[in-house]
């Protein structure tokens, strides 16, 4: 081995030693977990459920901070530009990690380069809802009515570029029908209009939609997964109801600033994986309409990339612009 090779080997070994020491000593102070949405949102609940247990296994406080605003751009920029030392993390989902950059080209961060995926925490399936007054009982009925009255049926969402917006557009594209978009600022505002019949259909998360379905105020036509979910027993998936391969899931997970040491990423990944597979957290996520996932950083990275490509194609195809 030549002198240059020896020097390179020494650099690699020294770097590995630093990472090893970092893994053994991390963390030595409180960790901040940033959430780009308000308290009570599914992202916020995810952060708090995991953080509350994580603090016990890593021996340091894990503090959740809500930084809502600008569709999570404020929170994302904060974390993207933070020191990559493992002391500032973010719980984020499709909006900030896969959709926003395809919708808005001028952002103060780059979702592809500025974050290091740690672990996916949960999938939160969506329900396709209609008011009880709408004369449909199934996906087949909905498509027949949409084809008979193209563009007459409207749908609500939590805003342009939101998962609830793109989910309907993906459904319309794959089913060959057309709906008219009526954007709202959130589920709490659109649900009353949906119940009243002012809106024809909408997607919403199980945790907020299920009580209205059980009370007979809204009808659930299908769940947005490839297969039915035990969270809604007896409800078929949209994919098995006439739109093969249809899937649109709200998901979330932990990320860190890019260049965070691999040893830190792995430590957090291992600990969070253990936590979200416990019966306690599995049950708590089910109570908010979620299914815990887990996996490696690479698997979460692959999900983000595939979702970014998929939603990017739809946004480009339909010419969707931010408002």
């Amino acid at each position: 081995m030549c002198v240059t090779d020896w020097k390179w080997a020494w650099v690699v070994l020294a770097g590995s030693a630093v990472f090893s020491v970092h893994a053994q000593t991390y963390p030595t102070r409180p960790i901040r977990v940033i959430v780009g949405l308000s308290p009570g949102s599914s992202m916020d609940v995810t952060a708090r459920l995991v953080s509350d247990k994580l603090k016990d296994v890593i021996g340091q406080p894990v503090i959740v901070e809500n930084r809502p605003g600008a569709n999570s751009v404020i929170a994302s920029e904060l974390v993207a530009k933070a020191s990559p030392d493992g002391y500032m993390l973010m719980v984020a989902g499709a909006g900030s990690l896969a959709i926003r950059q395809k919708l808005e080209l001028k952002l103060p961060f780059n979702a592809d380069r500025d974050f290091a995926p740690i672990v996916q925490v949960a999938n939160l399936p969506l329900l396709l809802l209609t008011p009880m007054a709408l004369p449909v009982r199934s996906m087949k009925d909905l498509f027949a009515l949409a084809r008979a009255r193209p563009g007459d049926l409207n749908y609500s969402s939590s805003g342009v570029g939101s998962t609830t917006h793109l989910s309907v557009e993906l459904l319309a594209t794959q089913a060959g029908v057309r709906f008219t978009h009526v954007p709202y600022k959130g589920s709490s505002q659109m649900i009353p209009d949906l119940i009243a019949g002012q809106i024809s259909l909408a997607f919403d998360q199980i945790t907020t939609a299920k009580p209205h379905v059980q009370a007979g105020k809204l009808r659930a036509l299908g769940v947005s997964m490839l297969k039915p979910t035990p969270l809604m027993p007896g409800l078929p998936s949209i994919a098995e109801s006439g739109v093969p391969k249809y899937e649109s899931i709200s998901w979330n997970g932990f990320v860190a600033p890019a260049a965070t040491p691999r040893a830190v990423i792995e430590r957090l990944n291992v600990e969070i994986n253990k936590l979200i597979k416990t019966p306690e957290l599995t049950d708590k996520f089910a109570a908010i309409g979620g299914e815990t996932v887990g996996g490696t950083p690479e698997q979460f990275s692959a999900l983000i990339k595939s979702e970014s490509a998929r939603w990017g194609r739809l946004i480009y195809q339909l010419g969707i612009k931010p408002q």
Side-chain angles (χ1 to χ4, degrees), residues 45-272:
V45 174
T46 293
R48 294 181 188 279
L49 286 176
V50 176
S51 297
D52 183 59
K53 299 298 181 182
L54 185 61
K55 69 179 184 346
D56 297 330
V57 298
I58 63 174
Q60 290 290 340
V62 182
I63 303 163
V64 177
E65 296 183 16
N66 297 90
R67 296 292 185 96
N71 294 311
S72 295
V73 171
I74 293 173
S76 299
E77 180 182 12
L78 176 66
V79 176
K81 296 180 178 178
S83 176
D85 53 15
Y87 291 98
M88 182 180 287
L89 312 176
M90 179 170 68
V91 171
S96 52
L97 297 177
I99 296 174
R100 186 56 49 192
Q101 191 159 289
K102 302 299 182 181
L103 196 64
E104 300 180 43
L105 299 180
K106 295 181 180 180
L107 290 174
F109 62 91
N110 186 298
D112 297 329
R113 298 195 306 263
D114 293 342
F115 300 110
I118 298 172
V119 62
Q120 183 186 1
V121 174
N123 283 328
L124 294 100
L126 303 172
L127 299 183
L128 183 61
L129 308 164
T130 62
M132 300 301 289
L134 194 72
V136 299
R137 298 292 184 274
S138 65
M139 296 299 302
K140 181 179 179 181
D141 291 343
L142 177 65
F143 296 147
L145 186 61
R147 292 185 179 107
R149 297 162 48 188
D152 284 355
L153 300 185
N154 58 12
Y155 73 94
S156 57
S157 79
S158 53
V160 174
S162 64
T163 303
T164 51
H165 170 212
L166 297 181
S167 295
V168 178
E169 292 297 342
L170 179 66
L171 176 65
T173 299
Q174 293 186 354
V177 296
R178 184 161 57 88
F179 304 115
T180 299
H181 186 206
V182 181
Y184 282 66
K185 290 185 177 180
S187 176
S188 61
Q189 295 179 330
M190 73 181 187
I191 288 295
D193 284 356
L194 185 64
I195 293 173
Q198 297 177 32
I199 298 296
S200 304
L201 65 147
F203 273 109
D204 202 9
Q205 292 185 358
I206 292 176
T207 182
T208 51
K210 190 173 182 178
H212 300 295
V213 173
Q214 292 175 328
K217 295 181 179 180
L218 290 173
R219 179 176 290 110
L221 298 184
V223 63
S224 65
M225 302 179 72
L226 292 176
K227 297 180 180 179
T229 171
L231 299 174
M232 288 295 293
L235 184 67
S237 71
I238 293 173
E240 63 183 9
S241 302
V243 192
K245 299 183 179 180
Y246 179 84
E247 185 176 35
S248 180
I249 299 172
S250 180
W251 48 265
N252 58 44
F254 279 78
V255 298
T260 297
R262 177 68 187 188
V264 170
I265 298 294
E266 290 179 348
R267 170 81 194 280
L268 291 168
N269 176 272
V270 168
E271 299 297 353
I272 294 174

